[in-house]
Amino acid sequence: GWHVWPNKPVLVVSYEEAWLRRTAPKGISYLPFDLDVQRALKLAERLQPQARRLVIVSGVTAFEAYWARRTLESAKQSGTRRWQPEIWLGLPMDEMQRKLSALDGSTAVIFTSMVRDSTGRGLFSAEAVKPMVAASGAPLYGWYPPYLGQGLMAGSIFDFEQNGRRAAEHIAAVLAKRESPGSELQPTGSRCRINVTRAQVLGIDLKLAPADCIFSNYAPSLWRDYRTTVIAAAALMTLQFLTIAALVYQRQRRRQAESEAQ
């Protein structure tokens, strides 16, 4: 597959670094991703100090099974929490929802991805999050940005935007001959992010979050979302009130003066 474009610069984006190191030939540029499984687990430990059970939800493709196993091994090797991990591999959605509904805050759920379940049904991972969240009494963690908008509570979230920008910068530099093909680019990092609305629904104390976490998905707030507009409107109303009060006062003084003159 690497010989489709012989003698042409090729950039491979968003494959795991270890796999690329094993398989990518010389002359191929690659920008790997780095899904930070350990950081996602550490975040679950901080936000759920009493949780011990860890459920890893995954589809049945080889890619998904790999990340499920990797998450399982990371949990077993944790030196700060004695997790009791288990994998739910490719459960149909109705069964998944039934099992998730029995969970509570004593369990943390890591959702890797699910593009195919055990029945062979194809899914879009981000869309699978919403029904899972609706059923689950336990927080869901993961590492893909679209999951947050569907109700994922938190995770070590891979930065798609930064990854795309870095790839575009390298392509432009190669075309302009400022960089050479065959570069090994640094993996795009992940950031701790928390869905505030979902955390509040689950009763999670946000003070437990790491200091570098990004808080997003707030419930709508007039003061927070439109503070400048609210302040400007309040200032205008106050000015109008003072103007009207001054005019009424002047009118009363004028009437009093006219009365005294008569």
Side-chain angles (χ1 to χ4, degrees), residues 76-102:
K76 289 180 177 179
Q77 295 169 9
S78 174
T80 53
R81 175 72 56 85
R82 190 178 294 276
W83 287 109
Q84 300 168 4
E86 58 189 274
I87 297 178
W88 294 356
L89 196 65
L91 295 181
M93 186 55 69
D94 55 349
E95 183 180 354
M96 179 84 70
Q97 288 182 298
R98 179 178 57 79
K99 297 187 71 170
L100 286 170
S101 66

mmCIF file of all heavy atoms in Angstrom, residues 76-102:
data_model
loop_
_atom_site.group_PDB
_atom_site.id
_atom_site.type_symbol
_atom_site.label_atom_id
_atom_site.label_comp_id
_atom_site.label_asym_id
_atom_site.label_seq_id
_atom_site.Cartn_x
_atom_site.Cartn_y
_atom_site.Cartn_z
ATOM 1 N N LYS A 76 -4.889 -2.294 35.025
ATOM 2 C CA LYS A 76 -4.283 -3.306 35.887
ATOM 3 C C LYS A 76 -2.938 -2.844 36.434
ATOM 4 O O LYS A 76 -2.533 -3.233 37.538
ATOM 5 C CB LYS A 76 -4.105 -4.612 35.119
ATOM 6 C CG LYS A 76 -5.409 -5.355 34.823
ATOM 7 C CD LYS A 76 -5.136 -6.641 34.061
ATOM 8 C CE LYS A 76 -6.413 -7.426 33.815
ATOM 9 N NZ LYS A 76 -6.150 -8.682 33.049
ATOM 10 N N GLN A 77 -2.243 -2.014 35.660
ATOM 11 C CA GLN A 77 -0.909 -1.559 36.065
ATOM 12 C C GLN A 77 -0.932 -0.271 36.874
ATOM 13 O O GLN A 77 0.121 0.227 37.274
ATOM 14 C CB GLN A 77 -0.049 -1.361 34.813
ATOM 15 C CG GLN A 77 0.222 -2.651 34.054
ATOM 16 C CD GLN A 77 0.847 -2.402 32.691
ATOM 17 O OE1 GLN A 77 1.227 -1.275 32.368
ATOM 18 N NE2 GLN A 77 0.957 -3.452 31.885
ATOM 19 N N SER A 78 -2.127 0.270 37.113
ATOM 20 C CA SER A 78 -2.215 1.517 37.868
ATOM 21 C C SER A 78 -1.634 1.346 39.264
ATOM 22 O O SER A 78 -1.989 0.428 39.997
ATOM 23 C CB SER A 78 -3.683 1.960 37.971
ATOM 24 O OG SER A 78 -3.790 3.090 38.813
ATOM 25 N N GLY A 79 -0.757 2.263 39.628
ATOM 26 C CA GLY A 79 -0.162 2.208 40.951
ATOM 27 C C GLY A 79 -0.893 3.046 41.980
ATOM 28 O O GLY A 79 -0.511 3.073 43.153
ATOM 29 N N THR A 80 -1.945 3.735 41.547
ATOM 30 C CA THR A 80 -2.667 4.627 42.455
ATOM 31 C C THR A 80 -4.102 4.202 42.712
ATOM 32 O O THR A 80 -4.765 4.776 43.574
ATOM 33 C CB THR A 80 -2.672 6.056 41.878
ATOM 34 O OG1 THR A 80 -3.172 6.010 40.530
ATOM 35 C CG2 THR A 80 -1.270 6.637 41.873
ATOM 36 N N ARG A 81 -4.598 3.222 41.991
ATOM 37 C CA ARG A 81 -5.969 2.751 42.196
ATOM 38 C C ARG A 81 -6.038 1.256 41.862
ATOM 39 O O ARG A 81 -5.589 0.837 40.801
ATOM 40 C CB ARG A 81 -6.941 3.536 41.310
ATOM 41 C CG ARG A 81 -8.395 3.065 41.325
ATOM 42 C CD ARG A 81 -9.098 3.395 42.635
ATOM 43 N NE ARG A 81 -9.055 4.802 42.952
ATOM 44 C CZ ARG A 81 -9.922 5.716 42.498
ATOM 45 N NH1 ARG A 81 -10.924 5.348 41.700
ATOM 46 N NH2 ARG A 81 -9.809 6.978 42.849
ATOM 47 N N ARG A 82 -6.612 0.477 42.757
ATOM 48 C CA ARG A 82 -6.798 -0.946 42.484
ATOM 49 C C ARG A 82 -8.144 -1.123 41.770
ATOM 50 O O ARG A 82 -9.165 -1.419 42.379
ATOM 51 C CB ARG A 82 -6.763 -1.758 43.791
ATOM 52 C CG ARG A 82 -6.717 -3.270 43.566
ATOM 53 C CD ARG A 82 -6.635 -4.004 44.899
ATOM 54 N NE ARG A 82 -5.379 -3.736 45.585
ATOM 55 C CZ ARG A 82 -4.254 -4.389 45.337
ATOM 56 N NH1 ARG A 82 -4.219 -5.336 44.422
ATOM 57 N NH2 ARG A 82 -3.157 -4.095 46.013
ATOM 58 N N TRP A 83 -8.105 -0.929 40.464
ATOM 59 C CA TRP A 83 -9.310 -1.050 39.670
ATOM 60 C C TRP A 83 -9.747 -2.509 39.535
ATOM 61 O O TRP A 83 -8.916 -3.415 39.547
ATOM 62 C CB TRP A 83 -9.095 -0.488 38.266
ATOM 63 C CG TRP A 83 -9.005 0.996 38.158
ATOM 64 C CD1 TRP A 83 -7.886 1.743 37.887
ATOM 65 C CD2 TRP A 83 -10.086 1.937 38.278
ATOM 66 N NE1 TRP A 83 -8.193 3.075 37.843
ATOM 67 C CE2 TRP A 83 -9.537 3.230 38.072
ATOM 68 C CE3 TRP A 83 -11.451 1.825 38.539
ATOM 69 C CZ2 TRP A 83 -10.302 4.390 38.117
ATOM 70 C CZ3 TRP A 83 -12.215 2.982 38.582
ATOM 71 C CH2 TRP A 83 -11.652 4.236 38.374
ATOM 72 N N GLN A 84 -11.033 -2.693 39.360
ATOM 73 C CA GLN A 84 -11.594 -3.997 39.011
ATOM 74 C C GLN A 84 -12.139 -3.873 37.593
ATOM 75 O O GLN A 84 -13.328 -3.619 37.383
ATOM 76 C CB GLN A 84 -12.695 -4.386 39.997
ATOM 77 C CG GLN A 84 -12.211 -4.485 41.434
ATOM 78 C CD GLN A 84 -13.346 -4.576 42.432
ATOM 79 O OE1 GLN A 84 -14.523 -4.633 42.063
ATOM 80 N NE2 GLN A 84 -13.012 -4.578 43.709
ATOM 81 N N PRO A 85 -11.259 -4.040 36.591
ATOM 82 C CA PRO A 85 -11.662 -3.735 35.217
ATOM 83 C C PRO A 85 -12.334 -4.911 34.516
ATOM 84 O O PRO A 85 -12.066 -6.081 34.813
ATOM 85 C CB PRO A 85 -10.324 -3.397 34.547
ATOM 86 C CG PRO A 85 -9.323 -4.214 35.296
ATOM 87 C CD PRO A 85 -9.824 -4.330 36.707
ATOM 88 N N GLU A 86 -13.201 -4.582 33.566
ATOM 89 C CA GLU A 86 -13.840 -5.581 32.711
ATOM 90 C C GLU A 86 -14.141 -4.932 31.374
ATOM 91 O O GLU A 86 -14.265 -3.713 31.278
ATOM 92 C CB GLU A 86 -15.128 -6.099 33.349
ATOM 93 C CG GLU A 86 -16.149 -5.013 33.649
ATOM 94 C CD GLU A 86 -17.309 -5.524 34.482
ATOM 95 O OE1 GLU A 86 -18.264 -6.051 33.879
ATOM 96 O OE2 GLU A 86 -17.253 -5.380 35.724
ATOM 97 N N ILE A 87 -14.245 -5.751 30.327
ATOM 98 C CA ILE A 87 -14.502 -5.251 28.981
ATOM 99 C C ILE A 87 -15.880 -5.708 28.525
ATOM 100 O O ILE A 87 -16.233 -6.882 28.626
ATOM 101 C CB ILE A 87 -13.438 -5.755 27.988
ATOM 102 C CG1 ILE A 87 -12.048 -5.216 28.358
ATOM 103 C CG2 ILE A 87 -13.793 -5.335 26.569
ATOM 104 C CD1 ILE A 87 -10.938 -5.715 27.449
ATOM 105 N N TRP A 88 -16.654 -4.748 28.018
ATOM 106 C CA TRP A 88 -17.911 -5.061 27.340
ATOM 107 C C TRP A 88 -17.641 -4.884 25.852
ATOM 108 O O TRP A 88 -17.634 -3.772 25.346
ATOM 109 C CB TRP A 88 -19.033 -4.134 27.782
ATOM 110 C CG TRP A 88 -19.424 -4.286 29.224
ATOM 111 C CD1 TRP A 88 -18.938 -5.192 30.121
ATOM 112 C CD2 TRP A 88 -20.380 -3.496 29.938
ATOM 113 N NE1 TRP A 88 -19.521 -5.025 31.357
ATOM 114 C CE2 TRP A 88 -20.428 -3.996 31.272
ATOM 115 C CE3 TRP A 88 -21.207 -2.434 29.595
ATOM 116 C CZ2 TRP A 88 -21.256 -3.452 32.240
ATOM 117 C CZ3 TRP A 88 -22.034 -1.889 30.558
ATOM 118 C CH2 TRP A 88 -22.071 -2.402 31.873
ATOM 119 N N LEU A 89 -17.428 -5.982 25.158
ATOM 120 C CA LEU A 89 -16.978 -5.940 23.780
ATOM 121 C C LEU A 89 -18.155 -6.140 22.817
ATOM 122 O O LEU A 89 -18.730 -7.227 22.741
ATOM 123 C CB LEU A 89 -15.919 -7.020 23.542
ATOM 124 C CG LEU A 89 -15.057 -6.899 22.290
ATOM 125 C CD1 LEU A 89 -14.177 -5.659 22.365
ATOM 126 C CD2 LEU A 89 -14.193 -8.143 22.108
ATOM 127 N N GLY A 90 -18.528 -5.073 22.128
ATOM 128 C CA GLY A 90 -19.507 -5.181 21.068
ATOM 129 C C GLY A 90 -20.920 -5.512 21.481
ATOM 130 O O GLY A 90 -21.674 -6.104 20.704
ATOM 131 N N LEU A 91 -21.317 -5.139 22.698
ATOM 132 C CA LEU A 91 -22.686 -5.429 23.120
ATOM 133 C C LEU A 91 -23.681 -4.659 22.261
ATOM 134 O O LEU A 91 -23.474 -3.480 21.970
ATOM 135 C CB LEU A 91 -22.885 -5.031 24.585
ATOM 136 C CG LEU A 91 -22.077 -5.794 25.642
ATOM 137 C CD1 LEU A 91 -22.438 -5.277 27.029
ATOM 138 C CD2 LEU A 91 -22.330 -7.284 25.558
ATOM 139 N N PRO A 92 -24.783 -5.287 21.834
ATOM 140 C CA PRO A 92 -25.840 -4.545 21.133
ATOM 141 C C PRO A 92 -26.337 -3.402 22.012
ATOM 142 O O PRO A 92 -26.325 -3.498 23.238
ATOM 143 C CB PRO A 92 -26.925 -5.600 20.907
ATOM 144 C CG PRO A 92 -26.203 -6.910 20.969
ATOM 145 C CD PRO A 92 -25.092 -6.722 21.960
ATOM 146 N N MET A 93 -26.812 -2.325 21.392
ATOM 147 C CA MET A 93 -27.130 -1.124 22.132
ATOM 148 C C MET A 93 -28.203 -1.342 23.185
ATOM 149 O O MET A 93 -28.114 -0.793 24.294
ATOM 150 C CB MET A 93 -27.547 -0.007 21.176
ATOM 151 C CG MET A 93 -27.764 1.345 21.852
ATOM 152 S SD MET A 93 -26.322 1.919 22.821
ATOM 153 C CE MET A 93 -25.163 2.266 21.498
ATOM 154 N N ASP A 94 -29.233 -2.146 22.899
ATOM 155 C CA ASP A 94 -30.278 -2.347 23.896
ATOM 156 C C ASP A 94 -29.738 -3.063 25.129
ATOM 157 O O ASP A 94 -30.066 -2.711 26.274
ATOM 158 C CB ASP A 94 -31.467 -3.111 23.305
ATOM 159 C CG ASP A 94 -31.067 -4.436 22.685
ATOM 160 O OD1 ASP A 94 -29.860 -4.699 22.513
ATOM 161 O OD2 ASP A 94 -31.980 -5.238 22.352
ATOM 162 N N GLU A 95 -28.867 -4.043 24.914
ATOM 163 C CA GLU A 95 -28.245 -4.735 26.048
ATOM 164 C C GLU A 95 -27.280 -3.798 26.776
ATOM 165 O O GLU A 95 -27.191 -3.807 28.014
ATOM 166 C CB GLU A 95 -27.518 -5.978 25.574
ATOM 167 C CG GLU A 95 -26.897 -6.796 26.697
ATOM 168 C CD GLU A 95 -26.171 -8.034 26.225
ATOM 169 O OE1 GLU A 95 -26.228 -8.333 25.011
ATOM 170 O OE2 GLU A 95 -25.536 -8.698 27.063
ATOM 171 N N MET A 96 -26.553 -2.998 25.998
ATOM 172 C CA MET A 96 -25.623 -2.032 26.593
ATOM 173 C C MET A 96 -26.360 -1.065 27.515
ATOM 174 O O MET A 96 -25.946 -0.822 28.656
ATOM 175 C CB MET A 96 -24.920 -1.248 25.481
ATOM 176 C CG MET A 96 -23.945 -0.205 25.972
ATOM 177 S SD MET A 96 -22.353 -0.928 26.307
ATOM 178 C CE MET A 96 -21.844 -1.299 24.628
ATOM 179 N N GLN A 97 -27.472 -0.529 27.042
ATOM 180 C CA GLN A 97 -28.236 0.417 27.847
ATOM 181 C C GLN A 97 -28.777 -0.239 29.113
ATOM 182 O O GLN A 97 -28.776 0.372 30.179
ATOM 183 C CB GLN A 97 -29.381 0.997 27.021
ATOM 184 C CG GLN A 97 -28.924 1.984 25.957
ATOM 185 C CD GLN A 97 -30.093 2.573 25.205
ATOM 186 O OE1 GLN A 97 -30.847 1.870 24.536
ATOM 187 N NE2 GLN A 97 -30.261 3.878 25.321
ATOM 188 N N ARG A 98 -29.222 -1.459 28.982
ATOM 189 C CA ARG A 98 -29.749 -2.160 30.159
ATOM 190 C C ARG A 98 -28.663 -2.334 31.223
ATOM 191 O O ARG A 98 -28.900 -2.108 32.410
ATOM 192 C CB ARG A 98 -30.311 -3.523 29.744
ATOM 193 C CG ARG A 98 -30.863 -4.354 30.898
ATOM 194 C CD ARG A 98 -31.432 -5.661 30.405
ATOM 195 N NE ARG A 98 -30.460 -6.445 29.668
ATOM 196 C CZ ARG A 98 -29.503 -7.192 30.245
ATOM 197 N NH1 ARG A 98 -29.387 -7.210 31.565
ATOM 198 N NH2 ARG A 98 -28.668 -7.889 29.508
ATOM 199 N N LYS A 99 -27.474 -2.702 30.802
ATOM 200 C CA LYS A 99 -26.389 -2.914 31.757
ATOM 201 C C LYS A 99 -25.871 -1.584 32.325
ATOM 202 O O LYS A 99 -25.544 -1.493 33.501
ATOM 203 C CB LYS A 99 -25.249 -3.688 31.085
ATOM 204 C CG LYS A 99 -25.635 -5.083 30.640
ATOM 205 C CD LYS A 99 -24.443 -5.874 30.140
ATOM 206 C CE LYS A 99 -23.512 -6.262 31.278
ATOM 207 N NZ LYS A 99 -22.476 -7.229 30.862
ATOM 208 N N LEU A 100 -25.834 -0.554 31.483
ATOM 209 C CA LEU A 100 -25.387 0.754 31.962
ATOM 210 C C LEU A 100 -26.352 1.344 32.983
ATOM 211 O O LEU A 100 -25.940 2.044 33.918
ATOM 212 C CB LEU A 100 -25.236 1.717 30.789
ATOM 213 C CG LEU A 100 -24.030 1.509 29.865
ATOM 214 C CD1 LEU A 100 -24.159 2.381 28.625
ATOM 215 C CD2 LEU A 100 -22.719 1.803 30.579
ATOM 216 N N SER A 101 -27.635 1.061 32.810
ATOM 217 C CA SER A 101 -28.638 1.618 33.727
ATOM 218 C C SER A 101 -28.498 1.078 35.141
ATOM 219 O O SER A 101 -29.006 1.680 36.090
ATOM 220 C CB SER A 101 -30.053 1.334 33.205
ATOM 221 O OG SER A 101 -30.322 -0.059 33.225
ATOM 222 N N ALA A 102 -27.797 -0.035 35.297
ATOM 223 C CA ALA A 102 -27.610 -0.627 36.618
ATOM 224 C C ALA A 102 -26.382 -0.061 37.333
ATOM 225 O O ALA A 102 -26.133 -0.405 38.499
ATOM 226 C CB ALA A 102 -27.479 -2.144 36.502
#
